[in-house]
Amino acid sequence: MPESSGPTPENLRFEVEVVSDCAPLGGLVEAMLSVTPELRVLRDPTRGGLAASLNEIAVASGCGVVVRERAVPVPPPVAGACAMLGLDPMYAANEGKLVAFVPREHADAVLAAMRAHPLGSGATVIGEAVAEHPGTVVARTGLGGTRVVDLPMGEQLPPICCPGLTPRRRSGRHGDANFVR
């Protein structure tokens, strides 16, 4: 019987270069705060991706979260890699990105400030906090259905760290790390 010529971990290759999306977000956050100091939550979706961030926020706040799946920006190379590997982009690590919960009355102005900053040019509204289903994240699918977005079990893929940066833990913080050259 002939040997399979299908993809294996040893021969799997991507057509695009895989690069880190790591970025310092302080300037972007300053731009957001210049609009209003009433930002409710800012979260880094590096570990566990968007799904983990939204679940942690939903549980901590006691709110439900509804995400419009098609509104979540997923670059074509990431979508292609996830499709090929059978991964859900909602669980992919996202360095150099943030999740923000902003009062509805400030959302348009904060979004405009984010888009005016180079690191926020792709910012978009992807959902909202709701009173229904407290502590649970629900995605509205492109076909009109809904699905529960669970907290991920482990990581699908490890994040790609910034070249030349080494993590250094800050004492007194809950797992936060800053990066130094």
Side-chain angles (χ1 to χ4, degrees):
M1 203 156 141
E3 231 178 88
S4 171
S5 62
T8 66
E10 293 78 28
N11 70 12
L12 187 61
R13 301 288 180 262
F14 293 101
E15 295 289 321
V16 296
E17 182 182 355
V18 178
V19 296
S20 173
D21 54 2
C22 181
L25 298 176
L28 178 60
V29 172
E30 286 176 0
M32 296 166 69
L33 288 168
S34 73
V35 173
T36 180
E38 295 182 38
L39 304 179
R40 300 291 190 239
V41 178
L42 296 178
R43 180 72 165 77
D44 169 6
T46 299
R47 301 285 181 215
L50 180 61
S53 295
L54 295 178
N55 272 282
E56 290 166 0
I57 293 165
V59 169
S61 67
C63 291
V65 175
V66 176
V67 178
R68 290 182 315 281
E69 219 168 36
R70 286 194 174 166
V72 177
V74 179
V78 173
C82 286
M84 184 169 61
L85 297 171
L87 303 175
D88 184 340
M90 295 274 271
Y91 296 92
N94 289 275
E95 295 179 337
K97 308 290 184 248
L98 63 81
V99 176
F101 280 61
V102 178
R104 188 179 309 270
E105 63 269 18
H106 298 294
D108 290 338
V110 170
L111 190 60
M114 291 176 76
R115 288 178 175 165
H117 189 279
L119 295 176
S121 61
T124 189
V125 176
I126 62 168
E128 62 184 332
V130 296
E132 298 81 25
H133 53 81
T136 302
V137 179
V138 174
R140 297 214 190 282
T141 69
L143 299 175
T146 59
R147 69 178 178 103
V148 173
V149 179
D150 290 320
L151 190 61
M153 300 294 288
E155 291 184 273
Q156 292 187 95
L157 292 172
I160 300 169
C161 290
C162 299
L165 296 182
T166 306
R168 180 180 67 197
R169 297 280 171 208
R170 288 183 274 182
S171 60
R173 301 295 301 251
H174 301 285
D176 290 346
N178 58 358
F179 289 84
V180 295
R181 289 207 183 269

